Every structure is written in structure tokens, then in C-alpha cells.
Amino acid sequence: MDNTASGLIAPLPGSLAPHRVRYLPITDRPRIRWPNDARVALWIAPNVEHYEFLPPRDPQRNTWTRSPHPDVQGYSYRDYGNRVGFWRMAEVLDRFGVVATASTNLAVFDHYPEVGAAMVERGWEIMSHGIYNTRYISAIDETAERAFYIECIEALRSHTGQQLRGMLGPAVSNTAATPDLMAEAGLIYHADWFHDDQPVPLATRSGQRLVSVPYSMELNDVPVFTQHFDTDEFVAMAKAQLDVLRREADDGAGGRVMCVALHPYLMGMPHRVDGLAAMLDYLMSHDDVWQTTASQIAQHFIDHHYDHFVAHEPEPPADRPKVAATAASSAGTTAANPGSASHAAGSAATEDWAQGYEFGPAQHQHGMDHPYYDWSPLPSRPRFEWPDRSPLAVGAVIVLEHVEWEPPPDAYSLRRRSGGLARLPAPDYPQLTIREYGHRVGIFRLLDLLDRHGIAATVAVDALTAEHYGWLVSHLAERGCEIAGRGIAATRLITSKNTEEEERDAIARSLDAIGSATGIRSTTWFSAEGVESFRTPALLAEAGVDTLLDWPNDEQPVLMTTDGVLAGVHRPEGTAPMVSLPLFLEADDEFALWHRRVSLDGWGEILTGAATRMHRDGADHPAGSRLLMLTLRPWLAGQPFRAQVLDDALAQVSALGSLHTATASELASHARSTLR
């Protein structure tokens, strides 16, 4: 960016592109004073988001990286946040009188008006997080980006009457012109800069005032939990953060800013929400903490400190050593920007991509952006109850999956397949043999464990397991396990890359293989790796499947609509409507132990913490009973040292009492009769 674009703030000599921010060391800058001499301005940022089921193509960034779109698991995991987690999290924020700054995909107001109304009723400030979290601004030109801000401003005004003051880019996406265009649109703060503990003026080409209000990627539940920390550690981080900032606010620089970034699908989980309460109990207990909103921080800074920061010249360090010019700088090439010619060529290519980017205006609509189920926020539902008014149903899905020695060359499998070592060329002995352990040993350990605690088991079996392990599948059926379909193999996923006929054939082969091994036609399905195409539920219904386990989006069963989704595809007469039983993804052994690397003790605490909270909510909440469906893999949870942790956790769950347990199809059958 040309230095002339830096508005009121001239870049210091040697500052790095994009010259938006002057270097002002925290040890030498004007003192910030918050209202009532508060040491710390604390803002809480719930991220209320919507990820599209089938997002438009982006030339630079793939929204769902697990599988071709749609990623049902990723989509419905986040959908859980709006249906359930948001309400649980909001109740805790209410309890502590928090006025939040909600980083909101503004289409939430169209799709889920109850969520929007709940934020407005609480007096939360709404910060733009774009329209959808699957539509990035990094690949669009200035004309489209300028229209994007107009759309955001009008969307917020029409739904809330609020004037939009700031933004956290959709999925933290930006262009080089973003601060300029934000300022021109009348916004006063940008939350995408994580470079300070205080607000900082951002240079704009028009000279209009724009402030960076520090957001956080450290006290942010997404990286915290994906980097394998647990709830207690997150709470400890937040407490330590406040302690240090309060102490440092006595130095010359004065008041600090602290942000805690939350996501309802994470912090609204039953096993985490009490941790949020513990965190807020500490953060809100200090008289020298100003709990406020991002725009109030920005406005106070603009009114009282902005000009001082712009005018301030830090004292040059005494006796600063001279640094000899490098050959690169002598030749006119800055070391900070090597390869500038190739970068320019890349920019031109990006512009070409942007020409064909299907951004366009967002399709504002009420409810889900797919046809399979209706939007249903937890507080507005009629009461749901399991038999005998049990507050909590507990079930288990055991996964038996086959990994091929030589998968077909055109088959799709996950890039980050669990088990074994690094992904190896075929044949991948660690991948293959660890799953063989599950078929030979782990499955029996898990079944005995579940029997001991009286928990009914549904076993998801792919076609190659049914065809190669006939004795095992027959044994499962004789033990009273329900057998669910799971596609062909873990190395042959059903995705949008398949044609409709290929997918139909894969479903038929899976169900036929189970029928041949057991003599029973399965009506329950759990897709391999939880991956579907857009067509999958409709084609499953056509095949007679009425219970689906792929969507971890709720704590109660969800009635699905499949008729009319695909031309010429219908549920056969006399078959039941489809019910989705949401698995509890947080406790899924592969998700928790392998991908998130949760400790064994942490895994046990997830199980017991979630069950305890769900049991309480199922008894006391107007929406009624809850469902805890566990997903277990014999090669993983069936290892002796892990099985012991599972055994201990299930003993605590059983001690809650008044539990209902049944196979997946039995749970769905009861739910279907109620949800109709």
C-alpha cells in the first residue's frame, strides 16, 4: 500500500506494510484512562454464526476441509450452537449481567429470528461478522466490498434499529482496502487486529477515524479447545489474563483491554457452561473492571485518546546501534518484502479469480438453508419426554469400519484419517491393523462394558466389514445389538463427488451386506466418517432408512423431511418419516481423543459433566428430556487403558438414576410418535 493511503497517521521510517499502524511501544505511549478509573475494559464476544450448508465457491479458501460440501458433521456441530448452546450460554451471561458484543453473521436475524430477538432483548451490541461465515471478503474487489458494508449496515438497522459500529471479518477475512472501506461506511472499529492490549488508531486513506479494538485469538474457545486445553484450563487462562492486565494498568500506559471470545457450539456445551459461570464469577467480581462493549471502548478512545496517540512521538532509544544496510536494501529491494515481483503476479491472478467469484447478495431467508429439517430453538419447543418421564436417554453407537489395503483410485477418504502414524502409502499397515484390533478384541470389551451398565448398543457396520466378518456381525445380532448401515468402507466415503446412481448403489450394497449377514433389513444409518452428499438423507429414505445418526446438532431428536427434496425420489409407502438422533460429538472418542487430543481424564469429565448437566436440564427445562448418544470405536475406546476410563465414567452416569436406554431405532420410534 502506498504511504499516501495512511491518512492521519504517517508511517514511521522502516515500518512494515501495510503502514496502517504506527509503532508505539507499550512502554512509551499516552496514558489511557477508562471511566471511573477502571484498570481493564472487559468485553465479551459471543460469536453467533451461520455456516451455509452448500456455500458458494471461493477461489482462495475452502470452507469445509473435511470432505466435499456438504460437511454434515461440521455444519450440524455449529447448528447445535444456535439451537441449544446459545440459550444455555445466554442464561449464564444474564446471570452475571454481561452486556455482550455479539460477533454476528447478520443472516442469523433472517434464519433464526428468535436468536436475533434474544440478543436485542438483552441489549447486546451487534458487531458484524459478515452475512455468513462461509462468504469471505478476501477475494472480492472494492466495488463488491463496498456493497458488502452497505448490506451489513442495512441488515442490522432493519432487524434491530442499531447503527453498525464495527466488524470482525467473516471468518476473519479481509482485503488490503478493508479498513479504508469500513471507515468510509461509517464504522469506527475493527476487531481483526490482535496486536495490542489497548485500542490503536488505524490509518485510513480518507483520514476518517478507525480504531483497532483488541479481540482475542488466545482467550478464544475455538483455538483453546482445538489445541487440546480443557475447560478448567480456559478458566484459569482468563483469570490469569485479568490478573496481569489489572496489575500492568498501574504503569504509564494505563488502562488495558481484555476480550473473551466465545462460540455457542463450544462454550454452550453442557460440560463446559459451568466453566463459563466460574470464569465470569471471577472476571465480574472486580470493581476496577469496566464490563462494556466494543463500540463503547472505541468511542471512549476516539473521544479522549485518539489525538494524543496520533501526535505522540516515542523517545528514541538511547545509543541505538546502527544496522548496516544489506545487499538487498542497497539494491532497492526491502528485506521485509522479498520476491515482490512474483507477489505482484500473484495479485493479478487473484483479480482474475475474483472476476468469477459467485459472491452476490446473501439470500436472506427464515429458517435453515437446506430442506431437511425446520429451525427450532430450544426455548420455544413443546415439552419432549422419554418413556417414564426419564430426563435423560443414554445410548451408544459402536463403529466397525474397514480400511482397504488398496482403495480404488477414485475413492474418497478423509485427508486426516485417524489411527496409525502419518498417512502412509498403501498398504498402510498401522491404519489397517489398528482397526483390525477393534474387530478382534476391542468390540467385545466395549460390548461387555455397555452390558454391565445396562446401555443398549447400536453397531454401525460398513459393507466390507459385513462381507469379511460374517461371524462377528451375526454374533452382534445374536447379542441383541441393532446393526446400522455405514456405507462401503472408511476408504470409500459417500460425498458430493459421487453421482446419484453411485450413491444409491453404495447405500444398497451396505444394506444388502448387513441383510445377508444377519437376515435383518437395517433401517438405521450412520455414514462413514459422518460424511454425506446433499442427496444422502433423501436417498436413504428411498431405501427405507428411517433413523439417521450423522447430524450432531441438538440434544433432542429432530424430525427430518425427505420427500420432495430430489425429483423422483420418495419415501416408500408404509415406511416411517426419518428421525435424526444427534450424536454428542464432543464425547465422540475419535473427535475427543484423537483429533483434539483430550486427556483421558478430560474425556471422562466430558462424559460425566455433559450427562450431569443434561440430566438436570431434562428434568427442569421446559423443553424436557435430553439425549446423550455416545460414539465409540473398538480400536480406540476398546483399548484397555481407555476402556477403564469409560467404565468409570459410565458408572457415574448410571448413578444419576432415572435413565432411559434403547437402541437407535427404538429411540427414534418413540421420538417420532411424539414429534409428529
Side-chain angles (χ1 to χ4, degrees):
M1 178 180 296
D2 192 304
N3 290 355
T4 59
S6 52
L8 291 176
I9 309 171
L12 291 177
S15 64
L16 299 178
H19 305 299
R20 293 281 183 194
V21 180
R22 292 185 63 196
Y23 177 68
L24 285 180
I26 193 79
T27 56
D28 187 357
R29 60 175 66 167
R31 183 176 183 81
I32 288 180
R33 294 185 183 276
W34 297 130
N36 300 316
D37 287 326
R39 283 185 168 89
V40 176
L42 169 68
W43 65 293
I44 308 295
N47 285 256
V48 184
E49 299 169 333
H50 180 73
Y51 286 72
E52 294 166 282
F53 190 61
L54 294 172
R57 178 182 62 86
D58 187 289
Q60 297 181 344
R61 184 172 173 182
N62 184 16
T63 305
W64 303 117
T65 57
R66 288 182 69 251
S67 70
H69 303 169
D71 178 358
V72 165
Q73 185 183 97
Y75 174 91
S76 53
Y77 186 35
R78 287 157 179 81
D79 187 29
Y80 174 98
N82 294 323
R83 297 168 69 87
V84 181
F86 171 87
W87 310 98
R88 183 178 285 134
M89 199 168 79
E91 183 274 324
V92 174
L93 296 176
D94 289 347
R95 196 187 317 161
F96 290 94
V98 170
V99 179
T101 303
S103 173
T104 306
N105 296 138
L106 296 170
V108 163
F109 286 97
D110 299 291
H111 289 282
Y112 319 122
E114 296 88 345
V115 173
M119 293 190 289
V120 172
E121 289 166 4
R122 286 167 167 78
W124 290 5
E125 174 181 317
I126 307 299
M127 172 175 70
S128 172
H129 200 24
I131 306 298
Y132 291 110
N133 229 33
T134 40
R135 300 201 181 193
Y136 315 122
I137 60 176
S138 47
I140 62 177
D141 61 21
E142 281 201 23
T143 300
E145 188 174 358
R146 188 173 281 109
F148 164 79
Y149 296 115
I150 294 172
E151 183 179 11
C152 288
I153 290 166
E154 291 304 317
L156 183 62
R157 181 184 292 123
S158 66
H159 286 295
T160 71
Q162 288 188 27
Q163 174 65 38
L164 184 62
R165 310 300 303 282
M167 181 180 79
L168 175 69
V172 200
S173 61
N174 291 272
T175 70
T178 292
D180 303 317
L181 299 176
M182 287 180 64
E184 289 173 20
L187 279 64
I188 66 169
Y189 72 89
H190 197 192
D192 288 27
W193 301 70
F194 314 133
H195 62 302
D196 213 293
D197 285 335
Q198 293 183 322
V200 174
L202 294 175
T204 65
R205 62 192 177 197
S206 64
Q208 290 168 291
R209 296 183 173 195
L210 185 70
V211 174
S212 162
V213 174
Y215 183 69
S216 181
M217 290 302 289
E218 296 292 325
L219 289 181
N220 184 316
D221 53 7
V222 171
V224 164
F225 295 134
T226 56
Q227 290 171 6
H228 324 308
F229 296 103
D230 61 25
T231 307
D232 289 343
E233 289 170 311
F234 189 25
V235 174
M237 290 175 195
K239 291 180 177 180
Q241 179 95 340
L242 182 66
D243 290 344
V244 172
L245 292 178
R246 289 177 64 237
R247 184 169 66 246
E248 290 180 347
D250 288 332
D251 66 14
R256 302 303 206 262
V257 173
M258 175 174 171
C259 175
V260 180
L262 307 170
H263 294 72
Y265 75 95
L266 291 172
M267 211 64 201
M269 285 284 173
H271 57 289
R272 292 198 182 108
V273 75
D274 287 343
L276 175 59
M279 181 191 298
L280 293 175
D281 187 53
Y282 187 79
L283 300 182
M284 300 289 286
S285 67
H286 297 80
D287 293 337
D288 56 5
V289 171
W290 175 36
Q291 199 283 299
T292 186
T293 65
S295 70
Q296 289 176 318
I297 293 171
Q299 193 64 60
H300 181 89
F301 180 81
I302 288 171
D303 292 344
H304 300 280
H305 303 292
Y306 184 98
D307 291 334
H308 299 297
F309 269 64
V310 170
H312 184 74
E313 290 291 344
E315 300 262 342
D319 301 320
R320 177 163 39 184
K322 304 297 182 185
V323 180
T326 64
S329 62
S330 300
T333 303
T334 62
N337 188 24
S340 57
S342 62
H343 175 75
S347 297
T350 299
E351 288 176 10
D352 290 338
W353 271 104
Q355 302 288 330
Y357 180 61
E358 301 170 7
F359 191 81
Q363 299 300 309
H364 298 273
Q365 64 186 48
H366 175 260
M368 310 311 301
D369 57 348
H370 61 79
Y372 286 117
Y373 56 77
D374 292 332
W375 160 241
S376 175
L378 192 68
S380 66
R381 298 178 193 172
R383 186 170 181 82
F384 173 81
E385 290 183 340
W386 295 114
D388 300 321
R389 305 187 71 178
S390 297
L392 179 64
V394 179
V397 179
I398 299 176
V399 176
L400 284 176
E401 56 192 0
H402 187 78
V403 172
E404 298 167 279
W405 288 95
E406 290 284 351
D410 59 345
Y412 186 89
S413 61
L414 293 185
R415 296 178 182 87
R416 290 192 306 143
R417 192 187 307 137
S418 56
L421 304 172
R423 186 99 177 246
L424 303 176
D428 185 344
Y429 279 71
Q431 282 273 350
L432 298 165
T433 56
I434 192 64
R435 283 169 174 77
E436 179 71 3
Y437 177 92
H439 287 67
R440 297 166 68 89
V441 181
I443 179 65
F444 304 104
R445 183 173 290 129
L446 287 183
L447 289 173
D448 290 345
L449 189 156
L450 293 174
D451 284 346
R452 191 157 59 249
H453 294 286
I455 296 175
T458 298
V459 184
V461 176
D462 58 32
L464 291 184
T465 295
E467 292 165 2
H468 290 291
Y469 300 87
W471 181 92
L472 175 57
V473 179
S474 297
H475 173 77
L476 296 172
E478 290 170 4
R479 287 188 70 145
C481 299
E482 178 184 3
I483 310 298
R486 192 170 168 79
I488 296 176
T491 41
R492 298 196 211 180
L493 304 186
I494 292 174
T495 77
S496 299
K497 293 181 178 294
N498 297 110
T499 67
E500 184 172 319
E501 283 310 306
E502 287 172 340
E503 183 169 356
R504 186 178 276 111
D505 290 346
I507 292 169
R509 179 175 173 185
S510 178
L511 298 177
D512 289 346
I514 292 170
S516 297
T518 65
I520 300 170
R521 181 73 174 180
S522 179
T523 60
T524 299
W525 185 272
F526 182 24
S527 295
E529 306 291 4
V531 173
E532 293 185 1
S533 80
F534 176 82
R535 301 177 293 260
T536 301
L539 293 178
L540 288 172
E542 180 189 58
V545 171
D546 60 22
T547 304
L548 187 58
L549 301 169
D550 293 349
W551 299 66
N553 64 335
D554 215 297
E555 290 177 9
Q556 294 181 332
V558 177
L559 191 63
M560 301 192 81
T561 300
T562 55
D563 281 347
V565 172
L566 301 178
V569 176
H570 303 285
R571 175 166 54 92
E573 223 176 295
T575 58
M578 184 173 286
V579 168
S580 167
L581 292 181
L583 303 179
F584 192 65
L585 186 62
E586 287 280 326
D588 179 300
D589 57 355
E590 183 180 54
F591 184 79
L593 297 172
W594 190 268
H595 293 308
R596 290 187 56 233
R597 301 294 185 182
V598 172
S599 69
L600 277 177
D601 287 344
W603 183 47
E605 289 167 2
I606 289 173
L607 290 172
T608 57
T612 301
R613 180 61 190 245
M614 285 185 181
H615 192 278
R616 184 166 80 238
D617 287 347
D620 299 339
H621 194 280
S625 302
R626 305 303 166 96
L627 172 64
L628 179 62
M629 286 292 284
L630 306 176
T631 320
L632 305 168
R633 289 160 183 79
W635 65 267
L636 189 58
Q639 296 285 343
F641 66 99
R642 295 192 182 106
Q644 182 59 56
V645 173
L646 178 62
D647 198 5
D648 293 343
L650 291 181
Q652 294 183 54
V653 173
S654 298
L656 294 171
S658 301
L659 301 179
H660 177 67
T661 185
T663 64
S665 62
E666 291 168 341
L667 292 168
S669 178
H670 173 80
R672 191 178 295 112
S673 64
T674 301
L675 297 174
R676 276 181 171 174

